[in-house]
Amino acid sequence: DENGNCVYECYYDEIGAQTNCADGYCIVEREYDSEGRLISEHFRDRYNKLTNNKDGIASWNGYYNEDGELVITNCYNKDMDPVEYH
């Protein structure tokens, strides 16, 4: 983005085809707050469908409290079932 944050990352194999990385996904989309702090990630496969990362998480959202600590408000697996963030 305009602040130098990585908002989209995609992995490719040696012939240029999209492929999953060692953490289990091909694409990660990130969102940041107005201060440039990471507030969400969404993990996708090469077909752009939600997929779990190595921790079983496909998507999470959060915010930063007044002490500057990240508070996770929602965390889901690829089926959009709630999971515990760890």
Side-chain angles (χ1 to χ4, degrees), residues 10-51:
C10 186
Y11 293 90
Y12 298 91
D13 65 15
E14 61 277 349
I15 62 168
Q18 290 183 341
T19 189
N20 285 353
C21 68
D23 287 341
Y25 57 87
C26 175
I27 299 164
V28 60
E29 299 169 321
R30 297 182 179 103
E31 296 178 61
Y32 300 85
D33 67 11
S34 61
E35 295 182 37
R37 299 175 297 188
L38 184 63
I39 57 170
S40 73
E41 287 183 310
H42 311 286
F43 303 96
R44 301 186 181 279
D45 64 16
R46 64 186 177 142
Y47 303 106
N48 206 31
K49 303 288 185 196
L50 279 176
T51 192

Side-chain angles (χ1 to χ4, degrees), residues 1-8 30-36:
D1 68 7
E2 62 277 355
N3 297 317
N5 296 313
C6 180
V7 297
Y8 182 87
R30 297 182 179 103
E31 296 178 61
Y32 300 85
D33 67 11
S34 61
E35 295 182 37

Side-chain angles (χ1 to χ4, degrees), residues 7-8 17 23-24 27 32 54 58-59 63-64 70 72-73 79:
V7 297
Y8 182 87
D23 287 341
I27 299 164
Y32 300 85
K54 67 179 179 166
S59 180
Y63 69 94
Y64 289 85
L70 178 61
I72 304 298
T73 54
D79 298 319

